């Protein structure tokens, strides 16, 4: 879950990072009260869950209150790269003598946490060809023991710092590693980390992403900081998506939820990942209109699959569902079949008519096929491609 | 009422006078519970049965029968003879 800049900064401030003084404004009507507390020059920054704000004109430097008001009023009624601006951060401008880049994230290829630091921060640090990769310091972060002070200093030294700057930067590196682990982040990025004229290191911009599966360990985000749960896309989940998340939380077994709502009429029960994107695209290519995207896997309970099926079928206009997955080894075909049949029946539908396609080959498929046959559900095995199964599902919609 | 699986414990055979909680301990989806000194079946969990046969293999008195309602097949201890008890 991606946090907005001001949310990230609030949290980082509480963890001891130095953050410029700022105030959040949500409506033009709040400017009268907010502006007297802003010291100029200042930055007016649109709070949207997407990068590239500077280049999109959504971060504006202003020299006085009048310019701040103009910029704020303009930004508040617009969109930035497709996202409506729901809040602004008005923040004192930092006198920057040097810009650094600092990030902690997971390397999904090496499957470990890594820390990245560079003496060349700024808007283009991540663009290919803009930053020379040899100037990026990279070090593995042990998620069990965190980062020792001396290791943080090694990073600072490799960035090219010495003396007081080395100590100051190393302190921020250590804090960043602690915050990343403590907040169950998947990404913590400070760019730029500004060194001021006085030699302080200030977080000029921050980007925090928290692992959604770990949100239950971070209840203070919602209760303390009042940060609502959002989809990975940054928008708030729809009512339908929220209810799907509740289905997934019924028990700890497997996944049957993680739904994204679309406006079509063909419900999808798909596995998530590449094969599901293939199925989704194939359905659209054959003229179908998916009502949702979802993730099922890891042997969810029959109850969860049934509840998800019911939820999808409860949407207006959704008469049929397509159950399409790649060959599954970690999810039993018969248990998925039980779930969708049970869900259809509990929704008052005939499974044979409602399940437009069932293409889930894999473990216990013969058992699943016996069950599907019994309920008159058309199914296919791995001899039928995902594309063909999608075509059949769309054809049955017609 | 379950749709797919019916699990039955024969009260005449269960425990047969001996203390036993084998099925309760072994079932991975919590289908059994102690009830009036015998093993009882939690109806709302029956359809979660993953047909692992562990209860059949562990029951010392062959008191459990698992009926696959969609296949007219009944599994009992005899189906898993030779499995460790
Ligand atoms: S077969 Fe396995 S899942 Fe089913 S009741 Fe017995 S122990 Fe439980
Ligand atoms: S394992 Fe058999 S004898 Fe033991 S409690 Fe269960 S049903 Fe009764």
């Amino acid at each position: 879950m991606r946090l907005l800049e001001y949310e990230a900064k609030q949290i980082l401030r509480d963890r001891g990072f130095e953050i410029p003084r700022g105030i959040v404004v949500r409506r033009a009507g709040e400017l009268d009260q907010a502006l007297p507390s802003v010291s100029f020059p200042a930055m007016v920054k649109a709070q949207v869950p997407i990068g590239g704000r500077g280049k999109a004109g959504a971060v504006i430097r202003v020299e006085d209150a009048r310019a701040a008001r103009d910029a704020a009023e303009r930004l508040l009624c617009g969109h930035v790269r497709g996202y409506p601006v729901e809040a602004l951060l008005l923040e004192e401008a930092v006198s920057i003598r040097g810009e650094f880049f600092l990030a902690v994230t997971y390397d999904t290829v090496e499957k470990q946490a890594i820390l990245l630091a560079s003496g060349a921060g700024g808007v283009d640090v991540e663009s290919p060809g803009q930053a020379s990769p040899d100037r990026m310091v990279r070090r593995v972060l042990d998620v069990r023991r965190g980062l020792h002070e001396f290791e943080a200093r090694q990073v600072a030294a490799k960035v090219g710092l010495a003396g007081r700057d080395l100590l100051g930067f190393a302190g921020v590196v250590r804090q960043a590693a602690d915050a990343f682990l403590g907040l169950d982040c998947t990404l913590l990025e400070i760019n730029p980390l500004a060194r001021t004229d006085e030699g302080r290191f200030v977080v000029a911009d921050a980007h925090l992403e928290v692992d959604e599966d770990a949100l239950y360990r971070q209840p203070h985000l919602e209760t303390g900081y009042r940060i609502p749960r959002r989809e990975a896309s940054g928008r708030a989940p729809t009512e339908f998506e929220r209810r799907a998340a509740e289905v997934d939380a019924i028990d700890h077994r497997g996944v049957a939820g993680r739904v994204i709502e679309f406006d079509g009429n063909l419900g999808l029960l798909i596995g998530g990942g590449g094969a599901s994107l293939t199925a989704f695209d194939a359905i659209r290519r054959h003229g179908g209109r998916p009502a949702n995207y979802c993730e099922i896997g890891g042997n969810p309970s029959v109850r969860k699959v049934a509840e998800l099926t019911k939820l999808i079928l409860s949407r207006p206009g959704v008469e049929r569902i397509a159950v399409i997955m790649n060959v599954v080894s970690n999810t039993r075909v018969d248990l998925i079949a039980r779930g969708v049949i049970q869900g259809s029946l509990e929704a008052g539908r005939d499974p044979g008519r409602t399940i437009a396609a069932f293409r889930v080959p894999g473990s216990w498929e013969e058992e699943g096929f016996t069950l599907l046959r019994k309920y008159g559900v058309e199914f296919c095995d791995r001899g039928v491609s995902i594309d063909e199964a999608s075509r059949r599902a769309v054809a049955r919609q017609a | 009422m379950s749709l797919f699986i019916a699990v039955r414990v024969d009260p005449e055979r269960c425990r047969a006078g001996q203390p036993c909680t084998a099925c309760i301990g072994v079932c991975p989806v919590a289908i059994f519970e102690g009830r009036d000194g015998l093993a009882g079946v939690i109806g709302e969990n029956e359809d979660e049965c993953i047909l692992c046969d562990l209860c059949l293999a562990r029951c010392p008195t062959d008191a459990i029968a698992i009926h696959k309602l969609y296949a007219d097949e009944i599994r009992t201890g005899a189906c898993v003879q030779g499995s460790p008890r």
Side-chain angles (χ1 to χ4, degrees):
Chain A
M1 182 174 91
R2 181 175 179 146
L3 307 192
L4 296 172
E5 178 194 0
Y6 79 87
E7 296 166 339
K9 282 181 164 171
Q10 234 178 335
I11 294 167
L12 294 180
R13 177 183 286 117
D14 291 348
R15 296 186 74 96
F17 289 78
E18 187 160 347
I19 308 287
R21 274 188 303 138
I23 186 161
V24 178
V25 172
R26 289 189 175 76
R27 283 184 305 279
E30 293 172 10
L31 286 167
D32 285 341
Q33 214 187 342
L35 283 172
S37 64
V38 179
S39 42
F40 292 94
M43 307 301 291
V44 181
K45 305 173 99 179
Q47 299 299 290
V48 281
I50 189 138
R53 288 178 302 165
K55 287 192 168 171
V59 175
I60 301 169
R61 184 184 163 96
V62 290
E63 301 300 326
D64 55 37
R66 175 194 288 259
R69 179 182 294 278
D70 284 352
E73 286 176 350
R74 205 167 58 243
L75 286 173
L76 267 175
C77 56
H79 285 70
V80 177
R81 301 182 64 190
Y83 287 90
V85 179
E86 283 166 6
L88 296 176
L89 176 60
L90 272 58
E91 191 177 73
E92 65 178 2
V94 182
S95 64
I96 297 178
R97 192 154 57 88
E99 286 191 337
F100 296 81
F101 172 86
L102 180 60
V104 195
T105 187
Y106 285 100
D107 182 323
T108 50
V109 176
E110 290 183 27
K111 297 185 172 56
Q112 52 194 359
I114 51 159
L115 200 145
L116 298 163
S118 166
V123 287
D124 283 327
V125 67
E126 292 157 288
S127 316
Q130 295 291 336
S132 53
D134 50 320
R135 288 180 61 195
M136 186 69 81
V137 177
R138 187 178 190 284
R139 118 159 253 141
V140 168
L141 171 65
D142 184 326
V143 295
R144 282 174 294 266
R145 71 164 172 78
L147 197 72
H148 287 303
E149 187 68 43
F150 76 92
E151 292 168 321
R153 289 182 189 179
Q154 283 171 345
V155 171
K158 283 195 183 146
V159 165
L161 297 170
R164 272 188 57 203
D165 284 346
L166 182 147
L167 294 178
F169 188 83
V172 182
V173 170
R174 182 104 190 270
Q175 281 174 322
D178 287 350
F180 176 83
L181 297 175
L183 293 163
D184 291 314
C185 292
T186 51
L187 174 68
L188 181 156
E189 181 185 310
I190 302 173
N191 182 32
L193 174 63
R195 182 176 49 183
T196 65
D197 287 336
E198 306 84 45
R200 292 178 291 119
F201 285 90
V202 178
V203 177
D205 196 358
H207 174 178
L208 234 66
E209 289 187 19
V210 180
D211 186 345
E212 280 165 33
D213 288 330
L215 281 177
Y216 73 98
R217 305 204 318 176
Q218 307 291 342
H220 60 290
L221 294 183
E222 199 162 353
T223 54
Y225 291 100
R226 308 216 166 280
I227 299 172
R229 208 184 156 109
R230 304 189 182 98
E231 292 305 290
S233 60
R235 63 168 170 77
T238 63
E239 179 57 23
F240 174 62
E241 291 165 350
R242 227 190 322 270
R243 285 174 58 199
E246 283 169 18
V247 169
D248 196 29
I250 288 176
D251 61 53
H252 65 280
R253 289 166 50 198
V255 175
R258 304 229 180 109
V259 162
I260 301 172
E261 180 172 355
F262 288 87
D263 59 2
N265 57 0
L266 178 61
L268 296 187
L269 278 148
I270 48 183
S276 293
L277 293 174
T278 304
F280 198 93
D281 288 351
I283 283 164
R284 283 171 53 89
R285 198 162 61 80
H286 291 297
R289 293 193 302 118
N292 65 283
Y293 182 86
C294 79
E295 275 182 35
I296 291 184
N299 263 338
S301 59
V302 174
R303 173 48 49 202
K304 287 207 312 196
V305 177
E307 291 297 329
L308 187 60
T309 303
K310 273 198 297 192
L311 178 65
I312 292 171
L313 287 173
S314 73
R315 291 195 51 200
V318 176
E319 292 291 325
R320 290 199 167 79
I321 51 171
V323 189
I324 299 177
M325 291 185 207
N326 206 351
V327 181
V328 287
S329 56
N330 71 342
T331 302
R332 271 177 44 177
V333 178
D334 61 326
L335 301 181
I336 297 294
R338 282 190 214 170
V340 289
I341 290 170
Q342 185 172 321
S344 303
L345 290 170
E346 288 178 3
R349 314 279 183 98
D350 168 10
R353 254 187 58 77
T354 306
I355 302 168
F358 188 102
R359 192 258 185 210
V360 188
S363 336
W364 289 65
E365 62 181 21
E366 279 311 325
E367 194 77 21
F369 296 162
T370 305
L371 185 55
L372 292 161
R373 233 176 258 122
K374 168 92 178 172
Y375 283 89
V377 177
E378 269 184 42
F379 59 88
C380 43
D381 62 13
R382 69 193 72 193
V384 173
S385 68
I386 288 177
D387 186 69
E388 172 57 17
S390 305
R391 191 195 63 74
R392 291 183 191 177
V394 174
R396 287 196 68 197
Q397 279 278 89
Chain B
M1 253 270 292
S2 57
L3 281 172
F4 311 110
I5 304 285
V7 181
R8 296 289 169 259
V9 175
D10 181 345
E12 302 297 317
R13 292 190 180 201
C14 177
R15 294 188 184 169
Q18 300 295 315
C20 175
T21 55
C23 58
I24 301 168
V26 81
C27 178
V29 291
I31 283 177
F32 303 97
E33 65 180 356
R35 214 180 274 162
D36 304 328
L38 300 174
V41 172
I42 303 173
E44 66 190 53
N45 290 356
E46 275 174 295
D47 277 336
E48 301 289 349
C49 171
I50 59 170
L51 303 170
C52 66
D53 287 348
L54 285 171
C55 56
L56 304 180
R58 295 288 291 277
C59 177
T61 60
D62 200 3
I64 302 171
I66 295 182
H67 190 171
K68 289 199 235 168
L69 302 169
Y70 53 91
D72 257 345
E73 179 188 337
I74 297 176
R75 301 189 62 75
T76 63
C79 306
V80 291
Q81 261 173 13
S83 301
R85 287 229 155 135

